[in-house]
Amino acid sequence: MPATGDDRVIVMAWESSYNAPWDLLNNGYQIINASWTPTYLTGGYGGLIHPGSTVGKRFALKDIYRWNKDIFMHWEPGRPVFEDRGPMDPNLDDGEWSAEWIGKDDQIHGGQMLYWEQYECSVLHFLMPRIPILAERLWNPKSDHSFAEFQDRVAVAQQKTLPVLQPIEISPVAKDPSHPVVSLYQPYEGEQIEVTLRNRTKLDGQIRYSTGRWSGQLNSPNFHPVPNPDTMYDGPLTARGPFSVRAELVRGDPEPVDGHSWQFYNNWPNRVEVTEYNIGRRTPRKVPDLAALPDSKLLRKYEMPYLRGLMQNVAVRGQLTRTDLIAPASGKHTLELRTQSGHATLYFDQNQNGEFEGSEILIQDSPNDESGQKAEVILKQGERYRIRVDHATGMPRPVLILSIAGPDGKRTEISKYLQLPR
């Protein structure tokens, strides 16, 4: 394919595997930077997720803010950029390469955001916070504003753009937008919630809405597509359990104003405590004792309604999960642990003394092929047993599934028997 001339080919360089960006540039090609990290955006809000899946790739907003059109990054071991194989790379352990290092940045025309595998309802949910950052990094790459300062400016701008893009505000929303489940739904506490719809615009009109159904099970939520709005809003909505809301603004003529709003809600109680650690860029062959890592490796803590692998597979992490198993029956039970791409170690406080001893490691360094590793324990119905799972996640699928089979031999995913540790 010609790199120059009237019939030249401009390459959108994304995978960085078969044609590394430095090879394309050195062969004269002009490039549009479509670096997988951090410009890819996959997986939808309010979509189906099963225990072995993630909710797509959505890189942190800060990662976009430190990127520009000349920088290529990758998340997966084995890719040339991840392995730092590019020429003149001053840091051979960061998975990044810049065209500036070989003086070829003038061949890169710009960049783009790659938006895949999405639902209609997730478009603005995920693009709104990212497009302003992408625009800033492409049009104003030498800006010296901090990320926090830039976000303050974005917040002011969004107050002006939201009425145009989504005329109806649906509230409440989660207090912590970075929580993993917010990729799927807005969590709430209690048996029911009151949802309020508000006209953000200065236009006169009425609000029309519809609600959507839900199916699935714990660790596998599935919100059905929400039908077109068909009910006029006359006050706050009260709903229970998992549900969804879709709303639009209708003028007096009575044409709807372009732009729908969606929210998905779920009140599953939290059952596990999760602590994430930095364990390096590559999955270790042996799972480290995550509880023994120093505070300097701590990334964040949060609670989840089910035990599973990371919701986002954008980097290797140490995932320490603590929870209490409430024994569903008395007698011999079989625990089965499965991992893919990474490895995990299962601790079980059989003697119920609140500590994990060496003899209470039931499964150590599970293989990364999702083959089930089993261990037997004797339980007394209704008793509380502490569980800990140390998970060294891997790429591309940080799957972590823990199942339990009772005396009757029936196996089920364990989350419904779990409670937050006391």
Side-chain angles (χ1 to χ4, degrees):
M1 295 186 296
T4 59
D6 292 340
D7 59 348
R8 69 186 183 279
V9 173
I10 298 175
V11 180
M12 295 178 182
W14 62 282
E15 192 185 43
S16 305
S17 289
Y18 309 108
N19 296 286
W22 48 86
D23 289 335
L24 291 167
L25 294 170
N26 284 330
N27 280 281
Y29 285 99
Q30 297 171 337
I31 284 179
I32 295 174
N33 188 332
S35 174
W36 198 323
T37 305
T39 67
Y40 261 65
L41 185 59
T42 67
Y45 180 52
L48 169 66
I49 177 172
H50 58 81
S53 72
T54 65
V55 292
K57 279 187 167 52
R58 286 181 288 279
F59 296 91
L61 303 184
K62 285 186 177 180
D63 287 340
I64 305 174
Y65 195 69
R66 66 183 184 86
W67 170 88
N68 64 48
K69 74 172 184 66
D70 302 324
I71 297 176
F72 292 83
M73 309 177 188
H74 212 291
W75 54 271
E76 187 175 18
R79 309 289 189 176
V81 170
F82 182 94
E83 301 295 344
D84 296 290
R85 296 175 187 158
M88 308 300 291
D89 192 335
N91 185 340
L92 299 182
D93 191 33
D94 65 354
E96 300 181 12
W97 184 82
S98 175
E100 288 186 347
W101 297 335
I102 60 171
K104 300 286 187 178
D105 45 299
D106 60 334
Q107 291 174 227
I108 300 181
H109 290 306
Q112 63 183 35
M113 183 158 284
L114 293 304
Y115 191 59
W116 290 64
E117 301 166 353
Q118 297 289 343
Y119 301 91
E120 180 186 10
C121 55
S122 68
V123 174
L124 290 179
H125 185 78
F126 292 128
L127 285 183
M128 278 287 288
R130 289 171 171 81
I131 290 297
I133 304 174
L134 183 79
E136 177 78 354
R137 300 309 298 148
L138 291 175
W139 297 336
N140 194 21
K142 299 189 182 301
S143 169
D144 58 359
H145 291 290
S146 69
F147 178 69
E149 290 171 335
F150 179 74
Q151 286 295 81
D152 288 342
R153 292 165 51 204
V154 169
V156 173
Q158 286 190 345
Q159 292 302 311
K160 299 178 180 179
T161 56
L162 271 173
V164 177
L165 299 172
Q166 288 188 321
I168 304 304
E169 177 186 51
I170 305 176
S171 60
V173 294
K175 296 179 181 178
D176 179 11
S178 68
H179 192 285
V181 299
V182 178
S183 296
L184 290 173
Y185 56 78
Q186 304 293 327
Y188 71 93
E189 297 179 355
E191 293 186 1
Q192 63 184 35
I193 186 175
E194 185 176 274
V195 176
T196 302
L197 312 183
R198 182 180 70 87
N199 180 0
R200 283 192 175 113
T201 76
K202 297 180 180 180
L203 298 175
D204 290 330
Q206 291 182 290
I207 298 172
R208 189 161 56 192
Y209 74 95
S210 58
T211 56
R213 297 182 298 114
W214 174 90
S215 65
Q217 56 190 346
L218 190 62
N219 205 358
S220 186
N222 181 21
F223 290 92
H224 293 187
V226 192
N228 282 319
D230 57 6
T231 303
M232 289 304 186
Y233 177 74
D234 59 3
L237 317 173
T238 299
R240 296 172 177 267
F243 69 97
S244 51
V245 180
R246 179 178 183 176
E248 66 180 353
L249 180 64
V250 181
R251 296 190 298 254
D253 38 16
E255 287 298 316
V257 177
D258 287 339
H260 283 198
S261 301
W262 284 265
Q263 287 295 4
F264 298 84
Y265 293 95
N266 198 340
N267 65 339
W268 286 343
N270 289 322
R271 294 174 170 87
V272 305
E273 295 177 346
V274 182
T275 307
E276 291 184 22
Y277 293 93
N278 179 0
I279 58 170
R281 297 175 58 229
R282 303 174 188 275
T283 304
R285 294 184 177 180
K286 299 291 184 180
V287 180
D289 182 351
L290 298 181
L293 292 180
D295 289 344
S296 60
K297 299 294 184 180
L298 175 65
L299 295 174
R300 62 174 179 167
K301 296 181 178 181
Y302 50 90
E303 297 176 350
M304 290 285 288
Y306 31 66
L307 190 154
R308 57 160 297 130
L310 294 180
M311 300 282 278
Q312 300 266 340
N313 58 335
V314 297
V316 168
R317 292 286 184 262
Q319 179 192 17
L320 190 157
T321 300
R322 292 185 178 93
T323 186
D324 283 356
L325 168 66
I326 310 303
S330 294
K332 185 173 68 175
H333 290 67
T334 301
L335 299 176
E336 183 178 47
L337 180 68
R338 288 185 285 158
T339 50
Q340 182 179 333
S341 299
H343 312 278
T345 295
L346 173 64
Y347 298 78
F348 189 87
D349 185 17
Q350 179 72 67
N351 61 18
Q352 299 172 282
N353 68 351
E355 298 181 0
F356 295 109
E357 301 160 5
S359 61
E360 294 178 327
I361 298 178
L362 297 187
I363 299 171
Q364 190 163 15
D365 302 322
S366 61
N368 61 355
D369 57 7
E370 213 170 329
S371 59
Q373 305 297 298
K374 297 180 180 180
E376 294 182 348
V377 293
I378 303 298
L379 305 180
K380 184 177 180 180
Q381 186 174 16
E383 292 287 306
R384 182 179 290 262
Y385 299 85
R386 180 66 48 86
I387 289 177
R388 177 181 138 201
V389 182
D390 287 14
H391 182 203
T393 73
M395 297 295 179
R397 299 187 70 218
V399 172
L400 173 67
I401 301 174
L402 182 61
S403 302
I404 186 170
D408 60 2
K410 295 180 179 179
R411 188 181 71 179
T412 183
E413 199 276 326
I414 201 170
S415 291
K416 68 179 181 180
Y417 302 121
L418 303 180
Q419 291 183 9
L420 286 173
R422 289 179 177 174

